[in-house]
Every structure is written in C-alpha cells, then in structure tokens.
Amino acid sequence: MNDKDEIFFDAASTKLRPRLLRRAIAAGKHVYCEKPVSTTLAEAKGLYAAAKKARVKHGVVQDKLWLPGLLKLKQLREQGFFGRLLSVRGEFGYWVFEGDREPAQRPSWNYRKHDGGGIILDMLCHWRYVLDNLFGEVRAVSCLGATHIPYRWDENGKKYKATADDAAYATFRLSGGVIAHFNSSWTVRVRRDDLLTLQVDGTHGSAVAGLRRCLIQPRERTPKPVWNPDIAQPIDFFQGWQEVPDAGYDNAFKLQWELFLKHVAGEGAFRWNLLEGARGVQLAELGLRSWRRKKWLDVPRLKP
C-alpha cells in the first residue's frame, strides 16, 4: 500500500474484501469498494464502525442508480407519472455457460458457497439500494433460491460441484404497500429487451426500463384486452408505448466515482457509504434465511 495514496479502492472477491478494507482503514485511507462488502451483516456493520471510528471517508459501489434506464424511472416517479405506485417486477440474468464445452463468462468462485459465491448474496445487495432509493424502503422479504446447475468447470477445465445458488426468486414488501418481485438467474436464456428489465405499474401509468431505454404507457393509452383463447390475440401489446428520450447520460460507475472523489475533497456529502453496503448484506442474509426457513422475514431498520 503506497503511503502517498489517499484512497483505497477494493474490487477483490467478496471473501477477501473485509480484511483488505480493515487494513486500509487502519492505515488511515479513505475506502471505496465493490459490493457485497462482506458475506455477513455483523462483519459489514463492523467495517462501518471501524471507518467511522477512524474518521475516514467511505463509499460502496451502487452503480445501478446511475444507469440511464433507472434514472428515467426516478424522473418519472418524481414527476408523479405513476400515480399511486402498485408494483415493481424485475427480471435479471442470462445463461452462464457451465465451462465444459464453452468457457464460462463468470469466475468459478461465484458458484462455491465457501468462496463467497451465490446469486442471492450478489444480487439482493443491488436490489436493496434500487428499491430503497427508487420505490420504497424494503420492509420484508420472501426468497427462494436454487442451484439449478449442480456441476460446473473452472478456469483450468476442472469439474467441480456448485455449492452456491445460481438463481433467486424474491418478493419484497416495501413502504407504502408497494410489492416488488425480482427473478435473478444465471441459468436463464434471454428473451426480453435487456439483461435487466424493470416493469413499474401505477394507477396512472406503467413503465418498462432496461439498462438504458425506458418505455411508458399512460392510463389513457392503456389497451382493453378481453380474454378469448379461441381467437388470435387482436392487440399488439408492444404498441402503445412511448420511449422516454435520452438526456446525455454518462457511465454509471464513473458518475458515482466522481461524486466520491468530490466528497473526499470536501465538495459535498456522499450517502452511499459502508452503512448502505451493510443494508444490502442484511437483505441478502435475510433472503438466505428466508429460503432456509421457508417464510417471510421482516427487515429491521439499520441505524448509524
């Protein structure tokens, strides 16, 4: 670690992150890191406490908040387009090759539980900050995980047993009565507009957003289908949607990184910190517990 460097950025694997962050904090470095910040809530809270005690500045990557598609959803919400928000449906994922006939496009540790792998730990951290910031604070979770592909092949072509979940089917209750459901999978073939799509429904209108595009359908343009399986569907449901125009968006990682650099330089607050990272780990931990217990679990509020 270079003594002249003021900031330590960590993008190591999840299991290595807490030890590296603690070393950097102890050396008096400001820290900025990828998520999940750890594999357990207790460890994540400990990192936040250590950074607070050392009076170093800290941040966690929450890049999806700056994606063009999600920024458009935020704008629509602030403009009152949706009316009363009803529900959010998220579809995320793609087919990750097993590694035998075609090299896998994700590292093998992602599929080993003892190495910090698993899609619940990985993705529920994302969904926590997306839901909290755009649609309502997460109050409860029900999650079902699965390991659909039992064996994979690592970077050296060696077969190994997949011990971590590769798919998650999670439902969330949000403040204000909003219901959100996210399917997250590394075992799904994509037939949708993007690798991540969010459909947001409200009393006054709906929107479907991907990573960059966002399409809306207001109440006055909503079609009126009638159930009749004996005839071909007369309505083209892909029509009647209007695209939200672009507004010169930049790279999501870059935008958040610049905000953190300004924060370190004393030019503004930065609320996407290690406590926010701990909230993501909390939801992932509860998601795994919900899967084991086969029940809904409340999400307690984490306070500074």
Side-chain angles (χ1 to χ4, degrees):
M1 195 174 293
N2 192 327
D3 290 339
K4 295 181 180 179
D5 293 333
E6 297 181 36
I7 300 172
F8 174 76
F9 173 65
D10 174 69
S13 62
T14 305
K15 291 284 283 188
L16 296 176
R17 185 161 297 124
R19 179 170 58 86
L20 294 172
L21 289 177
R22 284 190 178 277
R23 283 181 59 195
I25 291 168
K29 307 295 184 184
H30 306 301
V31 294
Y32 187 65
C33 68
E34 268 288 356
K35 43 64 43 205
V37 297
S38 70
T39 58
T40 69
L41 175 58
E43 197 168 43
K45 289 169 66 176
L47 289 169
Y48 170 68
K52 190 175 180 181
K53 183 178 180 180
R55 296 186 177 182
V56 298
K57 295 179 179 179
H58 44 95
V60 177
V61 172
Q62 301 194 340
D63 57 291
K64 289 176 175 51
L65 294 176
W66 285 270
L67 289 171
L70 273 70
L71 286 172
K72 293 170 187 177
L73 289 178
K74 182 174 183 284
Q75 180 184 30
L76 291 168
R77 179 96 192 268
E78 291 172 347
Q79 292 172 346
F81 168 79
F82 296 109
R84 181 169 62 86
L85 205 59
L86 304 175
S87 63
V88 182
R89 294 173 175 83
E91 288 284 346
F92 165 81
Y94 45 93
W95 187 269
V96 177
F97 285 91
E98 295 94 322
D100 52 349
R101 290 175 293 178
E102 182 76 23
Q105 64 270 46
R106 293 192 68 89
S108 59
W109 70 263
N110 282 181
Y111 302 94
R112 294 190 292 265
K113 187 175 181 179
H114 65 276
D115 286 332
I119 201 167
I120 292 176
L121 179 61
D122 189 7
M123 296 313 301
L124 262 64
C125 291
H126 281 301
W127 307 149
R128 178 68 189 268
Y129 69 73
V130 167
L131 293 170
D132 278 357
N133 283 275
L134 297 184
F135 307 115
E137 186 178 355
V138 180
R139 296 290 178 80
V141 58
S142 173
C143 183
L144 173 65
T147 306
H148 289 307
I149 305 295
Y151 292 96
R152 292 179 178 270
W153 284 257
D154 66 16
E155 291 78 4
N156 297 314
K158 184 179 178 181
K159 186 178 181 180
Y160 67 95
K161 183 175 176 59
T163 55
D165 40 285
D166 56 22
Y169 310 92
T171 305
F172 310 97
R173 288 203 298 262
L174 313 184
S175 59
V178 180
I179 303 298
H181 182 83
F182 278 70
N183 293 325
S184 309
S185 178
W186 291 322
T187 59
V188 62
R189 293 178 175 88
V190 179
R191 195 180 188 277
R192 53 183 184 272
D193 291 338
D194 216 328
L195 299 185
L196 168 66
T197 57
L198 298 177
Q199 176 162 337
V200 184
D201 292 302
T203 54
H204 292 175
S206 297
V208 177
L211 302 181
R212 303 192 63 83
R213 299 181 67 199
C214 180
L215 298 153
I216 58 173
Q217 186 175 89
R219 179 166 49 188
E220 58 271 17
R221 295 191 65 182
T222 302
K224 189 178 180 180
V226 175
W227 178 263
N228 187 351
D230 296 324
I231 62 171
Q233 177 55 246
I235 301 173
D236 182 350
F237 292 108
F238 288 96
Q239 298 298 316
W241 293 81
Q242 176 185 351
E243 185 155 4
V244 178
D246 281 331
Y249 301 104
D250 206 344
N251 178 272
F253 290 98
K254 175 176 174 283
L255 288 170
Q256 191 186 5
W257 176 240
E258 288 174 345
L259 289 174
F260 184 72
L261 292 177
K262 289 179 180 179
H263 175 57
V264 170
E267 299 179 15
F270 190 87
R271 61 186 178 84
W272 307 279
N273 57 20
L274 283 170
L275 182 62
E276 288 299 301
R279 289 190 172 103
V281 176
Q282 177 195 40
L283 187 61
E285 194 173 81
L286 288 169
L288 289 164
R289 193 178 304 164
S290 169
W291 177 19
R292 290 195 302 268
R293 296 184 181 180
K294 301 178 182 179
K295 63 182 294 187
W296 277 93
L297 294 176
D298 291 332
V299 180
R301 286 182 173 170
L302 285 186
K303 297 180 180 180

